[in-house]
Structure formats: C-alpha cells, structure tokens
Amino acid sequence: MNFAESFRIALRALNANKARSILTMLGVVIGVAAVILLVGIGTGVQDEITGQVEGLGSNLLFIVPGQYGGGMGGDQAPPSRRFTLEDSDLLARRVPGVDAVVPVLQAGSTVKRGNRSVRVVVAAANEQGGEVFSGTLAGGRGYRKSEVQAAARVVAIGSTVRDTLFPGQDPVGKTVTLEGQRFMVVGYYESMGGGLAGDQDSQVYIPVTTAQRVFNLNYINTIVVKANDPARIEVVKADLRRVLTPRYGEEFTVFTQEQTLGLLSDLLGTLTYMLAGIAGISLLVGGIGIMNIMLVSVSERTREIGIRKAVGARTYDILSQFVIEAVGLSVLGGIIGISIGWGGAALMAKFTPVPTNVTPWAVATAFFFAAGVGVFFGVYPAWKASQLDPIVALRYE
Amino acid sequence: MPEVPGAEPRIVLETRDVGKQYKLDGVEVNALRGVSIAIHSGEMVSIMGPSGSGKSTLMHIVGLLDRPTTGQVILEGDDISNLSPNQLAELRNKYIGFVFQSFNLLARTSAQANVELPLVYAGVSGTDRARRATDALERVGLGNRMGHFSSQLSGGQQQRVAIARALVNNPSIVLADEPTGNLDSRSGIEVMAMLQDLNAQGITVVLVTHDDRIARHAERVIRVFDGRVQAEEIVQNRVLAAQELAALPAEEVAG
Ligand SMILES: Nc1ncnc2c1ncn2[C@@H]1O[C@H](COP(=O)(O)OP(=O)(O)OP(=O)(O)O)[C@@H](O)[C@H]1O
Ligand SMILES: [Mg+2]
C-alpha cells in the first residue's frame, strides 16, 4: 500500500469523526496561534525599538560617565564624576571628523499653562540637538545658538504637550510655565506615535544652559557625538577617549550605535524566546490531546484494525494509517493556527500600539513543530494499533 | 469439478498434527490436539463439530490468522511456521478469503470500498481496484448496492458483500466460519447457494459449522470433537441450496 492510500484512509477516518477531529485539533490550533502571535509581538517590538535606535543614525556615539562592562547592567559602578558643558566644548574643539557634539540633560518635570498641566520629560541640548533627536517640527522652529548661549527660556514641545495645553491652537509665541519659570514656545513637533522606547510626544526641548539654570544643576547626563563618516566611527571613538582620559581616567564609557543595538537585541531576543517557550508549552499540551484521542480511537477501532489485518494489512500499513491521521490533525491544526495567529497579529498591529511582525521563519518553525508534535504523539498509539494481534482484534467487542 | 477424472487433485492447504493450547489464568486449554487435514483444490469441505470443539481455532490457524502451538501448516506446498506477521499478512491477502459469522465489514464504509480493501493492501491501482470490486459485487448479485454503507444493508446483503470481499483477490481458498449463523433461514439459504455457486465456478471453499444440515452443503465433512478429527466422510445426499430456494414459498427476492 502506498502513501497516498494511507493518506486517503486517514482523511476518511478524520472526516467520519468530524466533531472529535475538530476538538482535538483545537489544542494545536491554540498552541500554534499563540506561538505565532507572541513571537510576532516579540519580533515586532524588537524591530521597532532597534529601528528607533537605528533611525538616530549609525554614526552616533554616546558618552556616559562611569564604567560599563559588556554585561547587561548590575555590574556598573555609580558615576563618580559627571560631565559638564566644558567637556562637550572641549570635545567639539579637539576631535576632528565630527558633525555635532551635543550635551544632553534630561529631567522629569511638569509644564503648566493656566490651569492645565502635563507631565513631561525635559530633553535639553544645544542648538545641534536636532541632529541627534528624532522628530519633525510641525510648526515654528527649534531654539538657536544664540538662545543656547544666552540660556534663553524658549521651548519646543511634543505633540501630546501641545494637544493638552493648546488644544486646537497654534502654540508658537505663547508662554508656558516650567519649574516656576515662564518659557516662550518657539516650535512644536509632529506626533511620533506611542513608541515603546519612550513617549517622545511627551517631551519638551529646551537649551541645556537654560535647563542647568532652572534645575540648578552644573552637570549634563550624556554627550552625544555625531561622526561625519560612519566608516570612521572607531577612529572618532579613539579620539574621544584620548581627549577625555586625561580628565576622567577610565571613569567614562563610549558606546557606539552598534554596541547599543547589540545589547538591545540580546535583551529583546531573549524575551522573544521566552514568549515562544511559553506558547510552545501550550502546543505540547495540544500534542498530548492528540495522543489521548488517538489512543481512544485505536481502542475504539480495534475491530477495524482486525479486519484490515485479516485481509492483508501489514504492520506498517496500520502504523502509517494512524500516524498520518495524527499528523493530519496536527498539520491541519497548524495551518489554521498560523492563519489565526497571523490574522491576530495583523489586527493587533492595526488597532493597538503594539507592533507585530510575523516572520516566515516563525511560521515555518511553528508549522514544523506542529507536524513534529503530531508525529511524536501519534507514533505511540499508531504503534499500539499496528501490534494488535488479528485474532484478538477481531474478537474485540 | 474441473479436474481430470482419476487424478489426485492438488492439495491447497494442509495441517500436520496441529495442536493449539491457550493458557487462561495458568490453566491450559487444549483447543486442538493434533489435527491433520488436507484441503484439495476446487473442493467444498465442511468442518463440523459441537460448540467448543475447536472449529474456529482450526479455521484461524488454517487462515494464517493464528499460529499453532505445535505442528505445521502448509499453504500451496510451503510451510508457513517460521514466517513473520507481515509475511503472513501478505499470504492471507494473496491466498485466503474470509467470511465471518458477524460479517466483519468496515462500518461507515461503502460496499464498494469494503470489497476493495484486500486490493488496497495488494497494491492494486485505483481504477483496476474499482473494476474488480464492481465485478465481485455483481457476482454476488449486489451490483446495484455498491455505494451503500454496510449499515444500510440487510444481514444477508452484508454477508454477500463479505463474500465479494473474500473473492475479489482471486484467493486459493475461501474460509467461511458459520456464515449463516447470524442470518434468517432464507438469507442463510441464499448465502449457501452463493457459496455452492462459487465452488461450482472452481473456488475452493471451507465451511465451518456446528449444523449438520449446513455441513451437508459441502462434498466432504470433517467432524471435529474436543480438538481432534473424529471422522471424515463424503456427503451422500448433498443439499443443494438452489433447489431449497426454489422450494421456498414465493417471496420477493432480496437484493
Ligand atoms: N483466546 C482464547 N483463549 C482461551 N481459550 C480459548 C481461546 N479461544 C478459544 N478458546 C477455547 O478453545 C476451545 C475451542 O474454541 P473454538 O472457538 O475453536 O470453538 P468452536 O468450535 O468454534 O465453538 P463454537 O461453535 O461455539 O464457535 C474452547 O474451549 C474455547 O474456550
Ligand atoms: Mg466458532
């Protein structure tokens, strides 16, 4: 008997017991759908975050105080000394091949206008900040060099801030209050959507000099350097180290974009695998369901097996019939599960802020895993069926 | 009988001193105690005996469904004692057709598909299979019931489907264990007529029964008692089912 014949027999058996076949398949359907959906979410989030980091440009370097090892946090010492504006000025003067050196200071605060207020993240930089922050001006302008030098109280606001404080109005030229000081709005940004890397729409941008004054600080958090040639990024990195080492010794770290991305994708990759693992367990449970039903089916069909053997079915004819039945169930369940998971992921991407990305790799893995579950959990019942003694099987009531 | 008169007909199947023991809870049951019989090509033989005498056990061994505890079974000249289960399955498929008391058709399966079953395992291609199954069903007078499921057929019709299935792969021998046991008398006579008819066409038939009258449809009776062959005799007044059928009061003929 050939494979096509076994296949037909198996299909007929599944068809004869439709309700049971569907219920058995449901376990696999749910398992596979969960795998596809969760891995889709994991991959989508990973793509979005790395995309956002990459969107900043591959020629960025981030300098932070303190020593960071290759590990994922935990082993870093608290920064002993922080950077100041002097450091960024020094770098701007002494390091060749850079387009911008941007001192960055970030702080949480509240922006008020009249009786309205909104929580914001204040992102303070110099006039070159636009080179390293993503975001597109929807109206007005960013602050100027002269305003940075004068520590002017000017602010450009994110779209959430604008919508909250200036619903339906043009904010440019109006004033808001930040840390008790009056700031003039000079520009506002387009909405960037609720990104998972942080809500950039709730940010406000002010000159770093102004920020130091209103928050009463003399340091900055980070210095971001933009090299003019991504190919020379390692040279720029060495130059930055050369300039800063006499002042800070080893107490600072220069990250390139690549390193940051590496750390991020490691973390997010691990997360995706964890999601896949959890979903995989439900697939396993589905497989046990298949085995259970196949065992019931074998004992229910003992007489059929006896008849088939009496008229000449060999061991592997029976074995393949039942294995194909189990695999048919799991493969069909897999296909339905993939469709549901994929559809769910697409709907989720469309109607929720959660990004999803169903990769061919994930689909193929889920499919073959489902088929594998069918083989693995189908073989034992099928083997039991194939070993039945024809006489015993025929006598079975 | 398509044989040269006077010549000893070929032996299709033979048992030599076959014994079968069952162990039930440590107690040994001797179902067969040294049975030697020979079935010749083209004959119709009854194996007759009271309930529990070992007829079914013998038929299962002769049909290669079961193995003897002692002794040999020789099919078409070859000893089958040392064959694997798969080899036995292939021999059953090729040489033996079964008709059981309880029909043993596949449920929720058409008559056509039931009859095709031995051909499926013989590796016969789809179109050839359908043609041969149709022929076999027509031979048992069920050409108009091919698409019916077993559950949609009367007992007599089901048994005829089983006979068609037994015939379809041109076996050397058809083994029928109480083929009329589950049928009313009329259907029983019809089935017996069919078996006699097939035998007349050259097919070797072995009939297992406890009923003396049924047994006398054959040419020869082997009497079994308590696991032994008690006697073998040629049937003197062979019952011809076709005549019985004609003698029955007129009734709409099933099928
Ligand atoms: N699987 C078995 N296990 C144990 N004993 C068995 C088994 N099959 C048959 N026997 C015993 O072997 C003996 C012969 O049984 P068998 O079925 O061959 O009788 P039979 O002649 O066909 O009877 P009947 O006319 O009632 O069908 C009986 O005593 C029976 O109990
Ligand atoms: Mg019996």
Side-chain angles (χ1 to χ4, degrees), chain A residues 134-269:
Chain A
S134 46
T136 314
L137 275 169
R141 58 172 179 84
Y143 44 81
R144 301 189 174 111
K145 186 171 185 179
S146 58
E147 288 164 339
V148 175
Q149 282 167 346
R153 290 195 294 274
V154 289
V155 63
I157 58 178
S159 69
T160 307
V161 182
R162 181 201 164 200
D163 291 345
T164 314
L165 300 184
F166 301 97
Q169 300 170 37
D170 182 358
V172 175
K174 309 238 166 63
T175 54
V176 294
T177 309
L178 174 65
E179 294 291 313
Q181 308 269 354
R182 290 162 67 80
F183 278 71
M184 185 174 76
V185 178
V186 292
Y188 56 96
Y189 284 87
E190 283 177 4
S191 170
M192 306 192 37
L196 286 144
D199 183 4
Q200 302 192 52
D201 293 339
S202 293
Q203 291 197 345
V204 298
Y205 304 87
I206 64 174
V208 65
T209 44
T210 317
Q212 285 191 329
R213 199 166 292 175
V214 301
F215 290 106
N216 194 23
L217 301 170
N218 58 5
Y219 60 83
I220 55 178
N221 298 128
T222 317
I223 302 171
V224 184
V225 176
K226 186 179 184 187
N228 56 20
D229 180 2
R232 291 191 65 253
I233 198 129
E234 288 301 324
V235 179
V236 173
K237 184 175 173 179
D239 285 342
L240 292 170
R241 297 196 66 87
R242 189 173 44 73
V243 174
L244 287 175
T245 303
R247 300 171 72 105
Y248 293 93
E250 292 296 313
E251 290 301 306
F252 70 97
T253 309
V254 184
F255 288 112
T256 59
Q257 183 81 301
E258 215 171 313
Q259 285 171 306
T260 319
L261 271 182
L263 286 179
L264 261 178
S265 8
D266 278 0
L267 174 68
L268 295 169

Side-chain angles (χ1 to χ4, degrees), chain A residues 84-134:
Chain A
T84 64
L85 287 174
E86 258 174 64
D87 297 318
S88 68
D89 288 345
L90 189 69
L91 290 174
R93 270 183 280 121
R94 301 260 305 269
V95 178
V98 300
D99 280 346
V101 176
V102 182
V104 178
L105 182 58
Q106 278 175 311
S109 186
T110 305
V111 176
K112 299 192 183 95
R113 175 172 184 263
N115 54 2
R116 298 168 189 267
S117 72
V118 60
R119 285 292 303 170
V120 296
V121 172
V122 178
N126 60 11
E127 70 283 356
Q128 291 173 312
E131 304 246 11
V132 298
F133 295 134
S134 46

Side-chain angles (χ1 to χ4, degrees), chain A residues 5 25 31 63 84 104 111 120 171 183 207 215 231 253 296 309 321 344 361 397:
Chain A
E5 208 55 60
M25 228 157 51
I63 314 166
T84 64
V104 178
V111 176
V120 296
F183 278 71
F215 290 106
T253 309
V296 171
K309 286 200 156 188
Q321 175 188 341
W361 180 86
E397 287 306 324

Side-chain angles (χ1 to χ4, degrees), chain A residues 260-283:
Chain A
T260 319
L261 271 182
L263 286 179
L264 261 178
S265 8
D266 278 0
L267 174 68
L268 295 169
T270 310
L271 218 78
T272 305
Y273 282 122
M274 271 172 57
L275 290 177
I278 293 166
I281 289 169
S282 68
L283 194 48

Side-chain angles (χ1 to χ4, degrees), chain A residues 303 306-307 310-311 390-391 394, chain B residues 59-60 65 97-105 158-159 162-163 165-166 175-183:
Chain A
R303 213 180 165 90
I307 294 169
V311 303
I391 287 294
L394 277 174
Chain B
M59 192 197 95
H60 291 150
L65 283 170
F98 292 98
V99 179
F100 298 96
Q101 176 173 357
S102 52
F103 319 137
N104 276 337
L105 299 178
Q158 289 187 51
Q159 197 58 300
I163 292 171
R165 181 181 66 191
L175 300 177
D177 189 355
E178 305 277 10
T180 61
N182 279 7
L183 300 176

